[in-house]
Amino acid sequence: MRKWMKHQDPNNKYGATFTLGDRNIELPPGSVISVTRGEMFNIPRLIVNGILNQFIMKALTNNQDLLYAELTGQLQGGIGQTMTVWRNGQCMNQFRTSGFHNFARTCFSWVFYSGKVQSYFLTWEHQGRLPSPEEITTFTKTYGRHFDGGKLVKKANPPRITE
């Protein structure tokens, strides 16, 4: 069974990244990257999000269609970001819409869709090497669906991959 690894942020004692799998994998054609990012979470939202993530992380360890996962959190700014990399979009959607993830998504949507929270969501096809964490964040904030306190500000508009 795969295990989550914790990587403490050397520049921020209140920040860490958890990884599952090898970040240096070569992604095959058809692979998708899915990112969920929340900013400006208050302390209660951070706590709820952290608890929910523990259950979702456990479910991800047993999913053979997951190629890689990365969860990052920072207390300052109330930031949480989850990146998952899947064999294909169908596998990702099956996980997202079933089990505990679906329960958390439907019953705890207020964590991402209310208050002052800035939420970003993006899924796109990718092959080859994974971009850096900074590139992933920039790409998601540039092209992802963006909600401000639950109000849709911008629809997702990822660039099309041409071969």
Side-chain angles (χ1 to χ4, degrees), residues 39-135:
E39 300 175 350
M40 299 178 64
F41 286 138
N42 58 22
I43 297 298
R45 288 175 203 274
L46 279 172
I47 292 169
V48 170
N49 192 47
I51 293 168
L52 296 173
N53 270 334
Q54 291 298 309
F55 289 102
I56 293 168
M57 288 168 69
K58 186 172 182 174
L60 286 171
T61 59
N62 300 321
N63 194 309
Q64 297 305 309
D65 294 315
L66 179 75
L67 301 175
Y68 177 75
E70 189 172 281
L71 281 74
T72 304
Q74 291 181 1
L75 190 57
Q76 296 92 338
I79 297 170
Q81 179 169 298
T82 302
M83 176 183 71
T84 51
V85 182
W86 299 88
R87 292 189 193 287
N88 59 55
Q90 184 180 5
C91 296
M92 184 272 307
N93 200 46
Q94 183 177 354
F95 181 82
R96 187 177 72 87
T97 58
S98 64
F100 189 82
H101 188 280
N102 192 51
F103 168 76
R105 194 171 59 88
T106 55
C107 296
F108 292 93
S109 61
W110 59 270
V111 172
F112 278 91
Y113 296 111
S114 62
K116 296 179 181 178
V117 175
Q118 301 295 306
S119 302
Y120 302 87
F121 305 92
L122 185 62
T123 300
W124 70 97
E125 280 194 31
H126 188 82
Q127 65 185 53
R129 297 301 231 185
L130 279 174
S132 72
E134 296 78 17
E135 290 171 320

